[in-house]
Amino acid sequence: MIPAATTIDKLRRSWLFSDMGMAISPRGVSQRIASSKNTHKGRGMPASNAITPDKLARLVGSPGAPRIIDLRGTPAHAIPGSVFPPHPSPAQWNHPAGLAAVIVDAAGGGSAIAAAAILRSEGVAAEVLEGGFEAWAAAGLPTVSLAHLPPRHPDGRSWWVTRARPKVDRIACPWLIRRFVDPDARFLFVAPAAVLTVAVEQRAEPFDITGEGVFCSHRGERCTFDVMVEAFGLATHAPLARLAEIVRGADTDRLDIVPEAAGLLAISLGLSRLHSDDHAQLEAGTAVYDALYRWCRDAQGEKHDWSSHLPTRGKVPA
């Protein structure tokens, strides 16, 4: 037989529950549990299989960014690098299992949750953007305007055409498009005299060439990259604005604009001599712009010299 609780036991129990903020009664215990749940909810505990806007923003524009799949139909603005599925059913997307995905809808609701769950059932690392596009926009994170994006082809890709043998602008612009506008964009490099003809025949958007109806090309002192950054609504994104200065200086022979312009020109001319195939040069140049963008984003303040590898106490004053 279990002995009855003594008066001291009852007092100890009372003190314990009092210290925890609980009432002894079952009703009081229930109230305390509910209060605890609300407290944790207010701390912003991460949702399951979801990514926050701030965390996704650190991945946007990088070579390791997930595929951002926007379910909102044909919006005017989107998260940079978003794609829009051609079929309403995720089971019909044929999404590669090795490519992570972030699903975006208006407010992070049921449609995104269901789509991510279906992709995960197929082995895709799929997450939902917490709060959807509304949360992204409310956080003041960069968005891309789709007003100047050419119509997509049946393969779901936008097509672009420019002059062969690229140097600066014609590598920088494809990098910008694939990292921030259409990751699957197709680029055609042809002889200068054939650019406008191919543009009409293949429904490809011409760029970095003079011609009637060409929107993306040099304007005054600005290069094509400048024009594209502005047209896609990305001019207020500080890292791209800084990169645009470097590209402008290298592409327009104004190396005095920023010190990095001379380095970019040297690398660009070197790549054009290393590669006879324009697409191989684009692939190699993409890594250069990935690195420059990352420097513009968060490495401008970092310095390097011979003594940077030494312990602080081991450095010898100059």
Side-chain angles (χ1 to χ4, degrees):
M1 178 181 295
I2 300 175
T6 65
T7 302
I8 294 178
D9 290 334
K10 292 179 181 179
L11 286 172
R12 287 174 176 168
R13 194 178 307 160
S14 174
W15 294 334
L16 175 61
F17 278 88
S18 177
D19 287 341
M20 294 175 63
M22 287 185 182
I24 298 178
S25 68
R27 180 180 178 184
V29 171
S30 298
Q31 290 173 343
R32 177 60 182 175
I33 292 173
S35 174
S36 177
K37 288 181 179 179
N38 291 335
T39 299
H40 285 293
K41 182 177 180 181
R43 291 175 184 168
M45 295 181 70
S48 176
N49 298 311
I51 186 171
T52 64
D54 285 344
K55 185 175 180 180
L56 179 60
R58 298 291 294 175
L59 300 174
V60 165
S62 70
R67 179 59 55 94
I68 303 171
I69 303 175
D70 195 321
L71 305 181
R72 296 176 302 137
T74 55
H77 294 82
I79 296 172
S82 293
V83 298
F84 304 89
H87 196 282
S89 173
Q92 303 297 320
W93 294 351
N94 296 318
H95 188 89
L99 179 60
V102 172
I103 314 301
V104 178
D105 60 9
S111 59
I113 293 172
I118 293 172
L119 290 182
R120 288 196 301 275
S121 75
E122 297 181 344
V124 177
E127 296 179 301
V128 173
L129 177 63
E130 284 190 3
F133 183 78
E134 293 176 1
W136 180 275
L141 296 170
T143 61
V144 61
S145 170
L146 303 177
H148 293 288
L149 183 67
R152 297 180 186 270
H153 280 236
D155 62 2
R157 307 161 75 181
S158 59
W159 286 30
W160 306 75
V161 60
T162 191
R163 296 172 287 133
R165 305 310 301 138
K167 297 296 188 296
V168 181
D169 241 352
R170 283 164 287 152
I171 297 294
C173 292
W175 172 85
L176 176 71
I177 292 168
R178 283 183 173 168
R179 289 288 182 252
F180 290 88
V181 183
D182 177 10
D184 297 323
R186 182 190 297 273
F187 294 96
L188 310 177
F189 296 98
V190 300
V195 171
L196 298 182
T197 300
V198 171
V200 173
E201 291 179 351
Q202 300 300 325
R203 294 190 300 116
E205 184 74 10
F207 68 96
D208 201 44
I209 192 168
T210 301
E212 184 178 355
V214 176
F215 179 82
C216 293
S217 194
H218 284 232
R219 297 183 189 178
E221 295 185 343
R222 297 187 302 161
C223 65
T224 305
F225 189 84
D226 286 310
V227 173
M228 283 194 178
V229 168
E230 182 178 352
F232 291 127
L234 295 166
T236 58
H237 184 44
L240 280 181
R242 174 62 168 162
L243 181 55
E245 293 178 334
I246 301 172
V247 174
R248 187 187 319 134
D251 194 64
T252 62
D253 196 27
R254 296 164 62 202
L255 304 182
D256 59 317
I257 294 180
V258 288
E260 298 78 24
L264 176 58
L265 177 61
I267 292 170
S268 301
L269 295 179
L271 286 175
S272 72
R273 284 158 174 74
L274 282 173
H275 299 282
S276 59
D277 181 274
D278 294 336
H279 294 280
Q281 184 184 339
L282 174 57
E283 182 176 357
T286 294
V288 173
Y289 284 95
D290 283 337
L292 272 175
Y293 173 73
R294 186 60 188 265
W295 178 83
C296 291
R297 195 186 79 177
D298 53 31
Q300 293 187 57
E302 184 174 338
K303 306 297 182 183
H304 179 79
D305 59 24
W306 166 245
S307 63
S308 62
H309 71 289
L310 299 174
T312 303
R313 63 182 180 180
K315 292 185 178 181
V316 178

